[in-house]
């Protein structure tokens, strides 16, 4: 009965997915509840802001610069060919502010930080350091999750601001020097078409991205079993789950903010 077995397998996986979503939601609720109760360790949060934000800055800037340049290569030549070269600046500005800057920053931070958070907390879990925290009366949520949650949701928008600027400048250099777009028209059209909501909407998306990255990475770390092998599996699962979640959420946020 292969069909029955397939149906049973789909049902089992669906229930497992719903159970995991429920557990992640409960962790997120515990984090938000404790934040509103003032259970925030400022020193640990600042340490995580440095790790998540400052140490990710070179990677985010490099990636954004080249993505902006590639985007300009793809659109500037075609726009110039059809006599619409004066619109390149506006299209670049809107594309980077709404999608490229937030998405690239989210992907870079997810790939780098989610793996790091899960590996760190997962190692603490398998070496029973988290059990020791509980034994001393410390909450793993307050000590480990909240600082990373606050750091991610505050540093991603800041990283995105720098990424937007670098991506736009990279596109400007390629469009003006390679595709011969008029530099004055490039800037003037960007100022004319780019609205403040394009920037604010993109930054709001990265706040949500930061929450997702921190919660999923911490959840995977706190549910790591099986020694070093389990840490490796949790780290891989954390990055994959985080990236898929970012792509799905980005689609719906884009519709909500910009449709």
């Amino acid at each position: 009965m292969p069909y029955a077995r397939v149906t049973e397998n789909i049902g089992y996986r669906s229930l497992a997915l719903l159970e995991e979503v429920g557990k992640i939601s409960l962790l997120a609720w515990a984090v938000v509840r404790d934040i509103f109760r003032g259970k925030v360790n400022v020193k640990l949060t600042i340490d995580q802001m440095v790790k998540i934000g400052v140490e990710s800055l070179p990677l985010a800037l490099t990636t954004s610069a080249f993505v902006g340049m590639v985007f300009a290569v793809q659109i500037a030549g075609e726009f110039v060919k059809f006599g619409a070269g004066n619109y390149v600046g506006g299209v670049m500005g809107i594309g980077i502010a709404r999608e490229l800057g937030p998405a690239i920053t989210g992907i870079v931070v997810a790939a780098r930080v989610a793996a790091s958070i899960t590996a760190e907390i997962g190692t603490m879990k398998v070496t029973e350091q988290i059990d020791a925290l509980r034994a001393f009366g410390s909450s793993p949520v307050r000590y480990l999750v909240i600082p990373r949650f606050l750091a991610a949701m505050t540093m991603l928008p800041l990283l995105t601001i720098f990424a937007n600027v670098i991506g736009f400048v990279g596109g400007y250099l390629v469009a003006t020097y390679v595709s011969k777009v008029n530099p004055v028209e490039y800037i003037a059209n960007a100022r004319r078409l780019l609205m403040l909501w394009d920037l604010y909407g993109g930054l709001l998306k990265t706040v949500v991205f930061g929450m997702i990255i921190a919660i999923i990475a911490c959840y995977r770390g706190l549910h790591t079993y099986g020694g070093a092998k389990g840490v490796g599996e949790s780290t891989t699962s954390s990055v994959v789950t985080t990236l898929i979640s970012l792509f799905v959420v980005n689609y719906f946020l884009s519709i909500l903010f910009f449709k």
Side-chain angles (χ1 to χ4, degrees), residues 20 24 109-120 212-222 224 230-246:
E20 193 148 78
I24 292 174
V109 174
R112 178 185 172 274
V113 173
S116 172
I117 290 175
T118 302
E120 184 180 0
I212 292 172
I213 292 169
I215 287 295
I216 292 178
C218 290
Y219 172 82
R220 292 293 187 203
L222 291 171
T224 297
V231 173
E233 291 173 350
S234 288
T235 303
T236 303
S237 173
S238 172
V239 174
V240 172
T241 307
T242 304
L243 288 175
I244 292 174
S245 301
L246 290 189

Side-chain angles (χ1 to χ4, degrees), residues 55-161:
E55 295 179 6
S56 298
L57 185 60
L59 188 59
L61 293 184
T62 304
T63 308
S64 299
F66 281 97
V67 168
M69 292 163 71
V70 169
F71 188 41
V73 167
Q74 295 295 331
I75 69 167
E78 297 301 319
F79 273 53
V80 170
K81 187 189 303 180
F82 291 101
N86 56 333
Y87 290 104
V88 173
V91 173
M92 285 292 301
I94 293 173
I96 289 173
R98 288 185 179 184
E99 295 299 335
L100 290 180
I104 294 301
T105 306
I107 292 169
V108 166
V109 174
R112 178 185 172 274
V113 173
S116 172
I117 290 175
T118 302
E120 184 180 0
I121 297 179
T123 302
M124 294 178 69
K125 180 71 166 52
V126 299
T127 55
E128 301 181 349
Q129 294 179 58
I130 291 179
D131 294 334
L133 276 177
R134 289 195 178 96
F136 283 109
S138 297
S139 165
V141 171
R142 296 173 191 170
Y143 187 77
L144 298 173
V145 183
I146 289 177
R148 289 163 174 79
F149 181 84
L150 290 175
M153 68 177 286
T154 54
M155 294 310 291
L156 251 76
L158 295 177
L159 286 172
T160 303
I161 292 173

